[in-house]
Amino acid sequence: MGTGDRVFNSGRLDLLPQPLYPEKTGAYTAPMATLPDIRVGCCGFPMARAAYFRRFRLVEVQQTFYQPPRLETLARWRAEAGAGFEFTLKAWQLITHEPASPTYRRLTWPIPEALKERYGSFRPTQEVMEAWRITATCARALQARIVVFQCPASFGPTEEHIAHLIHFFQAARAGHEDLVFAWEPRGPWPEATVAGLCRKLELVHVVDPFQAQPAVPGLRYYRLHGIGGSRYRYGDRDLERLAQWCEGRTYCLFNNVAMADDAARFARLLGNR
């Protein structure tokens, strides 16, 4: 069974209800707590959903990145998961990735050649904002608070990309002040640039902690892709190190081939402390 929304305290699981934003004062500040609130799950469903809902209390939905499911489907997942289960989700790729990405093959409809330059890279276009509207609607259906914007390595720190990023998140925030935007940049982004953008735009900096640490304090969102590749299995020492990197409220989402086993082992390690 996963950690869900519990904090590990003297060998037992205690509920610790806390808002993600205690008060609207700008950048997120971590809640005052003596022990971290660690939430463990997987990026996607590595097993049948019913079995997953029994075993874990957190999942990052991947389908919303490739081709958002019908709202009726997401509402059914929300009902099946039961109270206390938390969903996060990845934003639709039409926002972050350009049509040349191989992930676009998962779309159920082709993008016309004449319109391809209007998609991806947070472009200030009607098409990108419509993709955000659909992503936000999916978040509401799942009752998810955190939306993850994973960028390809090709989205580097150019002046144009930074301008698009700022315009997008400022526009996307309107009407969605209760959502938490989590940004996973890839490629050669200077830490100071990432930190400045996260503070300016109230973004959570998503990292794989075995590769880098967050550029800003506050809520931590770790996506664990596997050391050296997705086939890597995390050893006991790896999981001990991961636990040491968890501060305040921390989300640990495993994204390797052995994600279900590794996530369950990590949850057991935390529960035995």
Side-chain angles (χ1 to χ4, degrees):
M1 182 175 179
T3 64
D5 55 352
R6 294 172 167 82
V7 60
F8 294 91
N9 184 11
S10 303
R12 70 188 186 90
L13 298 176
D14 295 323
L15 291 177
L16 182 64
Q18 313 173 44
L20 289 176
Y21 286 88
E23 54 180 328
K24 192 64 176 178
T25 57
Y28 172 81
T29 55
M32 297 298 294
T34 56
L35 290 176
D37 174 9
I38 307 172
R39 307 183 179 200
V40 182
C42 299
C43 293
F45 294 104
M47 62 187 71
R49 285 193 308 276
Y52 187 93
F53 292 148
R54 289 193 298 268
R55 193 172 185 184
F56 297 99
R57 306 301 294 164
L58 169 70
V59 73
E60 180 189 281
V61 175
Q62 307 298 290
Q63 288 90 332
T64 49
F65 172 78
Y66 296 103
Q67 179 71 55
R70 293 168 58 87
L71 294 181
E72 295 85 351
T73 299
L74 299 178
R76 186 176 70 251
W77 294 359
R78 174 67 271 175
E80 292 171 351
F85 189 93
E86 182 173 2
F87 289 91
T88 66
L89 74 157
K90 283 179 67 176
W92 200 0
Q93 62 179 326
L94 273 58
I95 300 170
T96 54
H97 290 55
E98 299 193 3
S101 171
T103 56
Y104 269 65
R105 298 170 187 167
R106 301 274 292 271
L107 285 177
T108 57
W109 46 270
I111 293 178
E113 190 68 31
L115 297 179
K116 286 186 176 181
E117 291 188 356
R118 299 184 62 81
Y119 289 90
S121 294
F122 298 96
R123 286 186 169 90
T125 63
Q126 181 179 352
E127 288 80 2
V128 166
M129 293 313 298
E130 175 63 12
W132 163 241
R133 185 192 68 79
I134 292 172
T135 298
T137 303
C138 291
R140 301 303 180 190
L142 291 167
Q143 298 177 20
R145 292 286 307 282
I146 298 178
V147 181
V148 178
F149 296 83
Q150 181 194 55
C151 292
S154 59
F155 186 78
T158 66
E159 289 186 9
E160 181 182 50
H161 285 167
I162 291 172
H164 288 174
L165 194 76
I166 292 172
H167 178 274
F168 172 83
F169 280 114
Q170 288 179 338
R173 179 70 67 187
H176 301 289
E177 291 81 2
D178 59 320
L179 295 180
V180 176
F181 295 161
W183 174 42
E184 184 178 19
R186 295 187 174 185
W189 281 82
E191 183 175 345
T193 302
V194 172
L197 287 167
C198 287
R199 292 191 180 99
K200 177 181 180 67
L201 301 171
E202 298 185 27
L203 305 177
V204 172
H205 181 205
V206 178
V207 298
D208 182 332
F210 289 93
Q211 298 180 9
Q213 290 298 306
V216 290
L219 185 150
R220 296 190 173 211
Y221 196 103
Y222 294 152
R223 302 184 80 239
L224 297 137
H225 303 293
I227 301 173
S230 62
R231 294 189 178 278
Y232 184 82
R233 288 179 173 269
Y234 291 94
D236 292 343
R237 290 187 178 180
D238 297 327
L239 299 180
E240 287 282 358
R241 291 177 64 197
L242 176 59
Q244 294 173 2
W245 290 324
C246 295
E247 297 180 2
R249 180 169 296 184
T250 303
Y251 288 74
C252 296
L253 280 303
F254 287 79
N255 195 32
N256 55 329
V257 173
M259 64 178 80
D261 289 342
D262 287 351
R265 288 173 49 237
F266 185 52
R268 287 196 297 270
L269 181 152
L270 296 171
N272 289 333
R273 290 191 161 201

